[in-house]
Amino acid sequence: MKDYRQAQIVRMDIISRLYKRGYSYREIRAEVMARLDLQSYSLRTVKKDVERLLAEWRETRIENTDYALQLELQRIDDLLKEAWEAWEKSKQEYEKRKAKQIGVPNPDDERGGGGGVVTLKMEQTAENVSPCGDPRFLELIHKLLMERRKLLGLYSPDKTEVTGDFSFANLLMQTGVIDEQE
């Protein structure tokens, strides 16, 4: 019984990967038979396995929804904290320094082959910079807050209004499901 259960787990793992990639039941059947060296594996069993897999995914998704939501909210909170810190740092004053050297080639280099540089003049400048802050951080903060509000469901749903001569009967006639004479 234990071997059967292990074989079923391995089979379900193969099926889940193939089903996610869009394989048909027949393709799944052929692939499972080839990988597990099975003599027989009916399409009916494939269908049952896929249905069992889908039911398992639904249960897992419902159980993990709260956990996944909390995880995503925590990730957003961490990014928000970093973005706010970067925003504050981008507003801090700093000293911008530049160094410039002017020189000429040294023909009397001790290495014999010339080369090297004799420095004639050195300039250093320092400038105090008072930035207003990098607006890219505010844009990132805004996007993160919007994403947080979406996850929490704080936005009202968009209202979509369909106008025109639209009816179920017209739709069926346009798709060719029923004829106009019926």
Side-chain angles (χ1 to χ4, degrees):
M1 183 68 175
K2 190 176 183 180
D3 290 336
Y4 174 76
R5 182 69 184 143
Q6 286 178 333
Q8 186 181 28
I9 291 171
V10 171
R11 189 175 74 221
M12 295 301 279
D13 186 48
I14 295 169
I15 292 169
S16 70
R17 290 183 186 153
L18 299 176
Y19 187 76
K20 284 187 230 177
R21 292 181 183 164
Y23 279 56
S24 70
Y25 286 175
R26 291 185 188 284
E27 292 169 328
I28 290 172
R29 176 181 176 262
E31 191 67 28
V32 168
M33 287 178 69
R35 289 188 191 184
L36 298 179
D37 196 29
L38 298 176
Q39 298 299 319
S40 66
Y41 182 51
S42 71
L43 286 173
R44 184 176 177 190
T45 308
V46 173
K47 183 178 185 298
K48 286 181 181 179
D49 286 346
V50 169
E51 288 172 355
R52 185 180 305 120
L53 186 66
L54 291 173
E56 184 180 305
W57 284 347
R58 275 190 294 274
E59 288 174 21
T60 304
R61 186 172 50 224
I62 289 169
E63 290 172 3
N64 291 336
T65 299
D66 289 338
Y67 174 74
L69 179 64
Q70 186 59 41
L71 179 65
E72 290 305 316
L73 290 172
Q74 187 60 49
R75 286 178 179 162
I76 289 172
D77 288 345
D78 292 345
L79 288 172
L80 276 169
K81 181 181 176 194
E82 293 289 328
W84 276 117
E85 288 174 6
W87 164 252
E88 291 300 327
K89 188 175 182 181
S90 74
K91 295 190 309 181
Q92 291 177 355
E93 291 185 11
Y94 64 94
E95 188 175 81
K96 186 176 182 180
R97 295 178 180 250
K98 290 183 183 178
K100 183 177 176 183
Q101 293 180 346
I102 298 175
V104 292
N106 184 3
D108 300 328
D109 190 14
E110 295 174 2
R111 288 178 260 166
V117 175
V118 175
T119 302
L120 299 177
K121 185 178 175 184
M122 244 175 108
E123 291 180 16
Q124 288 188 350
T125 59
E127 174 186 358
N128 283 334
V129 179
S130 300
C132 297
D134 190 341
R136 293 177 293 181
F137 294 117
L138 288 180
E139 183 180 342
L140 175 62
I141 290 167
H142 176 69
K143 286 180 181 178
L144 289 169
L145 289 173
M146 282 178 52
E147 190 64 29
R148 183 177 179 75
R149 289 181 205 116
K150 285 179 189 175
L151 285 174
L152 293 173
L154 298 177
Y155 290 121
S156 61
D158 293 334
K159 182 179 179 182
T160 307
E161 197 170 306
V162 179
T163 60
D165 186 27
F166 186 76
S167 70
F168 187 68
N170 285 345
L171 178 67
L172 291 175
M173 284 187 269
Q174 289 176 1
T175 57
V177 174
I178 62 170
D179 293 328
E180 241 180 88
Q181 289 82 19
E182 293 179 17

